[in-house]
Amino acid sequence: MTKQRSHSGDPEPGDDPAHRDEDLAALLERLLTQAPGRTQKDLASEAGISYPTLNAWMNRTRGTSRIDPEKLRAMVEVFRRWGVTTTPREFFESVGRPVPGPSGDEREARLLMLYRQLPESRQRALLKDAEAMLQVSRIT
């Protein structure tokens, strides 16, 4: 596995081998300790997740493999607003999912522009292809 490095040559946050095998509960517990005064309820509220759901993830009484990727990204953003260093990679790896490529406004805008130029039948086909690619990436 190639280590990601920042432009300075230092490992990216979330690339610490000591934390590589953390599940979501362990990751959230560790990050919450780095955000003094913040609680599970604060995280749930700010990330748009119900508190009972977040609490079940923390207590390992609810599976995490099907968490909406946007919820994972939302938790990353909340921790970052709180001044805690974390990455989407940490969150996706903690639930056993492949890490999606970076999200870029320019790339997404270009994809949307291309999509809108397609005839409706091709748009439907593209959506099916994208859904199939996503399913395959979740398996591998």
Side-chain angles (χ1 to χ4, degrees):
M1 177 180 201
T2 304
K3 288 186 181 181
Q4 288 191 345
R5 298 200 173 271
S6 67
H7 296 294
S8 68
D10 296 327
E12 289 288 332
D15 197 33
D16 182 346
H19 303 298
R20 204 167 274 146
D21 292 325
E22 282 180 318
D23 68 358
L24 184 63
L27 173 65
L28 292 174
E29 186 175 312
R30 178 172 57 83
L31 296 177
L32 280 167
T33 64
Q34 297 174 32
R38 301 296 184 153
T39 66
Q40 287 182 33
K41 285 185 180 181
D42 296 330
L43 176 60
S45 174
E46 291 191 40
I49 299 166
S50 76
Y51 172 69
T53 296
L54 180 70
N55 188 260
W57 294 336
M58 295 285 300
N59 291 318
R60 296 178 178 94
T61 58
R62 183 173 184 164
T64 59
S65 64
R66 293 183 165 248
I67 296 174
D68 180 341
E70 293 308 312
K71 298 292 184 195
L72 296 172
R73 288 185 182 96
M75 288 188 284
V76 170
E77 291 309 312
V78 169
F79 279 112
R80 287 178 172 173
R81 280 196 307 269
W82 292 349
V84 177
T85 303
T86 188
T87 64
R89 173 177 295 281
E90 282 187 296
F91 276 80
F92 281 87
E93 287 180 350
S94 76
V95 297
R97 301 260 286 282
V99 182
S103 177
D105 291 340
E106 186 177 313
R107 189 182 316 168
E108 290 175 0
R110 182 166 182 256
L111 182 59
L112 184 57
M113 179 194 69
L114 293 170
Y115 173 83
R116 288 178 175 163
Q117 293 177 37
L118 292 171
E120 186 176 354
S121 63
R122 297 287 186 179
Q123 288 177 346
R124 283 193 300 271
L126 181 60
L127 288 173
K128 283 185 179 183
D129 288 346
E131 289 168 347
M133 284 190 290
L134 181 59
Q135 289 299 326
V136 168
S137 72
R138 287 183 177 162
I139 295 169
T140 58

